[in-house]
Amino acid sequence: MIRFYGSSNARYFLTVQDKHVTLYHEDKVMWSTDLIHTDFEVLGVGSNSCVAMWFKEGVYLFRPGERVRAEALKKLQTSVFQKTESVLSDIFYNDEGSSFVYMRVSGKSKVTEKLFGALSSAPTEKGLKEFELIFYDIPSESAHTLHKMVHPLSMEKYVKWSISRDFNYLVLGNPRKIPSGVSVKYSIIDTQSFKTVRSFELQDTEVRSIRVNNEGTALLEASKRGVENILVVTKDANSYNIQRPTDAEILHLGRSFVAFHVHRPPAFIVKSLDDRELITNNLSIFEQHKVEYALLFNARDTMSLLYLKDDQLYHFITDMSTLITEIRRFELVMRKKQAEEQAPVEQPVKYEVPSTSPLREAPERPHSLKRPSAIEFFLEREPVKPSRDEFITLEDTSSPPQAPEPAEEPAEEEAGATSLPVVKIPDKTELFQMLETLKLHLVMGIVDDKAYQEKKQAIERMIELQDKQPSLQAASPAASAAPQKAGEQESPSSEEEKEREKIQKLLESLEERFILGEINETSYRELKAKYHRSLSAKRFQASPSQTSKG
């Protein structure tokens, strides 16, 4: 199983598998290493690309550089705490990667116990512990105390705390004994002024974990008398109860929602603070294709979809409403790859072109076990503007027009030329489909920007050649050799009618795909404009009478 971690600016991501750790800048590897121990905790990834980890020896910082190195933070080493007979209880790493806030727990002397018992009105137990919250600045290596409190040993499990990712809000639980059991007073504290902005009390309630967001809203995973519940408390005196979905973990506490990840069956669920289910997305497609994935939120409630396939990290920035589109794109790519893997193996095919074609000057294509598709074949050669005679030969593959025999051309060359197979240029519909597929490959990260631009320009040049084809045919000797009869009007062929119908269907399909969110607005407008240009060109080829009727 792979664990994913990300920075708040969604630029740096960390993957951990057993002892192997890899840091990515978006989808490019920055460094990768194997750790000595498997028992460690990742504290976070800073926006400055620094990674903090907590080992049994202490806290270490992995700074960026040509060679990865772990820097031991001297004041956060286990040996330092042992000298003062204290332990490092909990620690948080801020989003910027510049500071820590941690709790140090230490035992108190017998003198302190007697003093504490004298000040307390209730009988006290033997054995006290001091809980100290400390802020640690990494650049200056300085530390100062934020808060101290002393409690009996029996109260230790009730001391819970958490801090927001920007370190602006702190939630702290302060327990005390009451006749019926234990009551814990929780305070939401503004760390800039260290003033309490909201406080509330829970009696006989076991709190497993606490988290607080940058808005000062706290979330407590609690249970009372065996009934589990999620309590959300805002700093403006509002409280909410949310029922946890079955077999779900909390992903993120947003400004007005809580996001969950359900394990079985895999799903992404979003609930409002008043317990209304807003979004439910099925994530089974990732497990079906055995792909490791993660959904990471930043402090601005924006989400990153990450998945690892063939040692390549794919990263897509999305939000909750458009996540379903990214899932559909992933499913489309996986199905296409699966179809290619299951396709039957064909015999090698050698492609040849007529001697009159400039494509013959390109290097010969090596044999392959799989016949290349039309887009692969034509993108490997630099398109050259053909002559009129050559274009007629390439365009009409079934019955080429009878041109006058050249006076000086030898019979051997003519016979040799007719024996060679003729290369067929894809029609406009296929070319537009190639452009759409190429755009999808760019979005999914299958091709990079450079390869996308090169292939796109090559396809667009072929579309321009198709646009010029009618005028070249009209100017060719074969076209002039068959004049129309007087008074006979031109009429579009059945092939042209079929082409127009195809383009019209593509336009309708394009509208549906845009509405469903399968393509973005930029691709939609670009393809729609090209389809309309192609449709206008087809209408222009028709006679004036038919154009007016249309």
Side-chain angles (χ1 to χ4, degrees):
M1 180 179 179
I2 299 178
R3 292 172 290 167
F4 295 83
Y5 304 88
S7 61
S8 63
N9 56 5
R11 292 184 180 179
Y12 304 99
F13 301 98
L14 189 76
T15 61
V16 179
Q17 186 175 18
D18 296 330
K19 296 190 298 182
H20 189 71
V21 182
T22 304
L23 180 68
Y24 296 85
H25 180 203
E26 295 180 349
D27 57 353
K28 302 294 188 297
V29 176
M30 291 186 64
W31 54 261
S32 183
T33 186
D34 288 322
L35 302 176
I36 300 175
H37 306 293
T38 57
D39 186 14
F40 63 90
E41 178 184 348
V42 177
L43 298 176
V45 181
S47 299
N48 55 0
S49 76
C50 291
V51 179
M53 295 187 188
W54 185 8
F55 297 85
K56 64 180 181 179
E57 293 86 358
V59 178
Y60 287 79
L61 197 65
F62 292 78
R63 298 183 184 272
E66 295 181 0
R67 296 183 60 185
V68 57
R69 57 189 180 89
E71 177 186 340
L73 301 180
K74 297 179 181 179
K75 293 185 180 181
L76 299 179
Q77 294 301 293
T78 305
S79 58
V80 176
F81 289 93
Q82 290 175 347
K83 290 179 181 178
T84 59
E85 296 182 352
S86 59
V87 294
L88 177 61
S89 175
D90 296 301
I91 184 168
F92 287 86
Y93 185 49
N94 74 338
D95 278 343
E96 295 180 358
S98 60
S99 56
F100 295 95
V101 171
Y102 62 92
M103 177 173 281
R104 182 173 64 188
V105 181
S106 57
K108 302 305 295 181
S109 63
K110 293 183 179 181
V111 176
T112 306
E113 291 181 10
K114 292 180 179 179
L115 180 61
F116 184 81
L119 296 175
S120 177
S121 58
T124 60
E125 301 176 1
K126 291 184 178 181
L128 296 176
K129 282 196 173 183
E130 182 183 69
F131 302 88
E132 183 179 8
L133 280 175
I134 300 174
F135 175 85
Y136 177 81
D137 183 66
I138 297 175
S140 62
E141 299 183 358
S142 60
H144 65 271
T145 301
L146 297 176
H147 183 71
K148 279 185 180 181
M149 53 186 174
V150 178
H151 292 289
L153 290 174
S154 59
M155 297 286 104
E156 183 177 3
K157 64 179 181 179
Y158 296 100
V159 178
K160 302 288 184 180
W161 69 286
S162 182
I163 196 167
S164 61
R165 298 172 63 168
D166 58 2
F167 283 10
N168 287 336
Y169 288 96
L170 171 71
V171 177
L172 183 63
N174 195 356
R176 63 184 179 89
K177 280 192 173 183
I178 57 175
S180 61
V182 177
S183 177
V184 183
K185 181 180 180 181
Y186 293 92
S187 302
I188 302 177
I189 302 170
D190 184 351
T191 58
Q192 303 298 321
S193 58
F194 218 82
K195 292 182 178 180
T196 300
V197 295
R198 174 77 191 276
S199 62
F200 55 95
E201 199 161 344
L202 299 177
Q203 296 182 5
D204 298 327
T205 303
E206 181 182 354
V207 176
R208 291 188 299 170
S209 66
I210 304 175
R211 65 177 70 197
V212 59
N213 62 16
N214 293 352
E215 304 296 322
T217 300
L219 182 148
L220 290 81
E221 297 183 74
S223 62
K224 187 173 184 177
R225 300 184 183 92
V227 179
E228 292 191 0
N229 198 6
I230 296 176
L231 176 64
V232 178
V233 181
T234 64
K235 63 180 181 180
D236 52 0
N238 291 324
S239 301
Y240 306 93
N241 287 286
I242 300 176
Q243 186 176 3
R244 180 197 298 270
T246 305
D247 194 20
E249 65 172 332
I250 299 175
L251 284 180
H252 179 67
L253 171 62
R255 292 178 177 86
S256 59
F257 68 90
V258 180
F260 298 89
H261 180 214
V262 181
H263 296 284
R264 288 290 180 271
F268 172 72
I269 296 178
V270 178
K271 282 191 171 187
S272 62
L273 297 184
D274 56 357
D275 203 25
R276 289 183 297 108
E277 194 167 295
L278 304 177
I279 296 173
T280 302
N281 290 331
N282 191 344
L283 303 176
S284 300
I285 186 65
F286 294 100
E287 292 196 359
Q288 291 174 7
H289 292 278
K290 298 180 180 179
V291 173
E292 298 282 353
Y293 69 96
L295 297 171
L296 303 180
F297 282 85
N298 59 28
R300 299 180 301 277
D301 293 347
T302 304
M303 186 166 53
S304 293
L305 169 62
L306 301 173
Y307 64 86
L308 202 61
K309 180 66 175 176
D310 299 329
D311 296 330
Q312 173 65 41
L313 182 71
Y314 295 90
H315 169 223
F316 302 96
I317 297 178
T318 178
D319 54 38
M320 297 177 295
S321 60
T322 59
L323 176 62
I324 185 64
T325 303
E326 302 298 341
I327 296 174
R328 287 179 179 176
R329 286 176 179 171
F330 170 81
E331 184 176 6
L332 178 63
V333 172
M334 290 297 104
R335 286 182 177 178
K336 185 174 181 180
K337 287 184 177 180
Q338 189 174 9
E340 291 176 354
E341 293 174 357
Q342 297 176 355
V345 178
E346 298 184 4
Q347 295 296 326
V349 178
K350 182 178 181 180
Y351 285 83
E352 297 181 355
V353 295
S355 58
T356 57
S357 171
L359 297 180
R360 191 176 182 84
E361 300 174 2
E364 185 178 359
R365 180 186 178 92
H367 295 322
S368 61
L369 296 178
K370 180 182 175 183
R371 178 171 180 163
S373 62
I375 185 171
E376 292 174 344
F377 175 69
F378 284 101
L379 290 182
E380 288 183 1
R381 295 168 170 82
E382 182 68 21
V384 182
K385 184 176 180 182
S387 63
R388 291 177 297 181
D389 295 338
E390 175 200 339
F391 204 96
I392 293 173
T393 304
L394 292 176
E395 187 270 339
D396 195 350
T397 58
S398 57
S399 56
Q402 300 295 329
E405 295 184 0
E408 299 179 0
E409 190 168 12
E412 293 83 1
E413 293 185 4
E414 181 180 358
T418 56
S419 63
L420 293 173
V422 179
V423 178
K424 185 178 183 301
I425 295 180
D427 57 20
K428 277 189 170 182
T429 304
E430 295 176 356
L431 293 174
F432 284 129
Q433 290 175 351
M434 292 177 188
L435 276 176
E436 187 175 352
T437 303
L438 188 63
K439 180 69 175 178
L440 182 60
H441 286 181
L442 175 66
V443 174
M444 297 303 300
I446 298 177
V447 297
D448 54 14
D449 292 338
K450 184 178 179 181
Y452 167 73
Q453 293 296 336
E454 292 176 356
K455 294 181 180 181
K456 179 183 176 185
Q457 292 174 4
I459 297 176
E460 289 177 344
R461 282 196 292 267
M462 285 191 287
I463 294 176
E464 292 177 0
L465 292 179
Q466 290 281 19
D467 292 336
K468 296 177 182 178
Q469 181 175 349
S471 60
L472 291 174
Q473 286 182 338
S476 64
S480 60
Q484 294 183 342
K485 295 180 181 180
E488 185 179 352
Q489 294 181 350
E490 293 181 356
S491 61
S493 64
S494 59
E495 293 183 358
E496 293 175 349
E497 289 288 349
K498 291 180 180 179
E499 290 296 329
R500 286 198 291 272
E501 290 178 1
K502 285 182 181 179
I503 297 173
Q504 195 65 38
K505 289 180 180 179
L506 286 173
L507 278 170
E508 296 174 359
S509 174
L510 185 66
E511 294 285 347
E512 295 178 359
R513 295 185 65 187
F514 177 66
I515 293 173
L516 292 174
E518 296 180 357
I519 58 175
N520 56 29
E521 185 176 358
T522 303
S523 301
Y524 164 73
R525 294 185 180 278
E526 181 181 350
L527 291 175
K528 183 177 180 181
K530 290 184 179 180
Y531 287 164
H532 277 298
R533 286 198 299 269
S534 178
L535 193 62
S536 300
K538 292 295 180 183
R539 290 176 179 171
F540 180 75
Q541 296 174 18
S543 63
S545 60
Q546 291 183 354
T547 306
S548 61
K549 289 179 182 179

